[in-house]
Amino acid sequence: PEKSEQIIELFKEINAKGTTVLIATHDYSIIKKYKARTLKCANKKISEICSAAEQVPLKSESVDIYAISFGIRNTFDTEKATQEAYRLLKKGGKFICLEFYKVEKPILKELYKLYSKIIPSVGQLIVGDKGPYEYLTSSIQKFYTQDQFKEMLKQSKFKNVNYINLMGGIVSIHTAWKI
């Protein structure tokens, strides 16, 4: 299923438990898009905050789960964003991060490097703008490795920090706990 459909399924599951979902991003158009879609799945307990990840206007220890997908790489200060996630989580809270990474496996690395050169041209052809796709490939190359990000989470006081690679390490899911 498409990422947005997976998010809606997650919201349905959360709704069944009576939990409030908070959508937070620095881009209000994204908030409106996901709120409209989640309302279709009958989750009436949706709040939103338009905020940077480095300084979220919520009380400390007020969140059970902090999930971010394809966003931590786009923060201005990744270390500060992970510290803020830690501040927001209640004790026993879980941090989950889905993100793109550089590929390290030699054969896949070469294929991905070639693919990354093609992505902006495909973006230009399909949507008429290659800029966002140039940014995507460049930001992935500048971002931390999975192990470096794991260490950053540990430095931000998270415990039981782990990650799993998907698609040969193109995408990884980091998990960590506030204990």
Side-chain angles (χ1 to χ4, degrees), residues 82 95 149-158 161:
T82 60
F95 174 86
F149 187 62
K150 178 179 179 177
E151 285 306 310
M152 181 184 295
L153 290 169
K154 288 180 179 179
Q155 292 298 314
S156 295
K157 302 180 186 171
F158 282 102
V161 181

Side-chain angles (χ1 to χ4, degrees), residues 87-105:
R87 181 189 73 79
L88 293 170
L89 281 168
K90 295 176 184 176
K91 289 200 185 329
K94 187 174 187 177
F95 174 86
I96 306 166
C97 178
L98 175 69
E99 190 57 82
F100 290 117
Y101 288 91
K102 297 180 272 278
V103 178
E104 299 299 326
K105 292 184 179 185

Side-chain angles (χ1 to χ4, degrees), residues 11 20-39 43-52 56-58:
F11 285 166
T20 300
V21 172
L22 173 69
I23 302 171
T25 181
H26 67 285
D27 184 345
Y28 194 72
S29 67
I30 293 172
I31 291 173
K32 287 186 351 186
K33 173 185 169 185
Y34 282 107
K35 187 165 184 177
R37 286 185 166 194
T38 55
L39 285 174
N43 190 332
K44 305 297 186 220
K45 295 182 176 185
I46 300 174
S47 299
E48 70 268 349
I49 294 177
C50 194
S51 168
V56 180
L58 290 174

Side-chain angles (χ1 to χ4, degrees), residues 53-56 58-68 72 78-96 149 152-161 176-179:
E54 295 90 341
Q55 192 172 8
V56 180
L58 290 174
K59 293 179 184 176
S60 296
E61 298 190 356
S62 61
V63 175
D64 294 305
I65 299 172
Y66 184 108
I68 183 167
I72 199 84
T78 306
E79 187 174 350
K80 189 171 180 183
T82 60
Q83 292 167 354
E84 181 70 348
Y86 186 86
R87 181 189 73 79
L88 293 170
L89 281 168
K90 295 176 184 176
K91 289 200 185 329
K94 187 174 187 177
F95 174 86
I96 306 166
F149 187 62
M152 181 184 295
L153 290 169
K154 288 180 179 179
Q155 292 298 314
S156 295
K157 302 180 186 171
F158 282 102
K159 303 295 182 202
N160 301 328
V161 181
W177 296 86
K178 180 174 182 176
I179 298 176

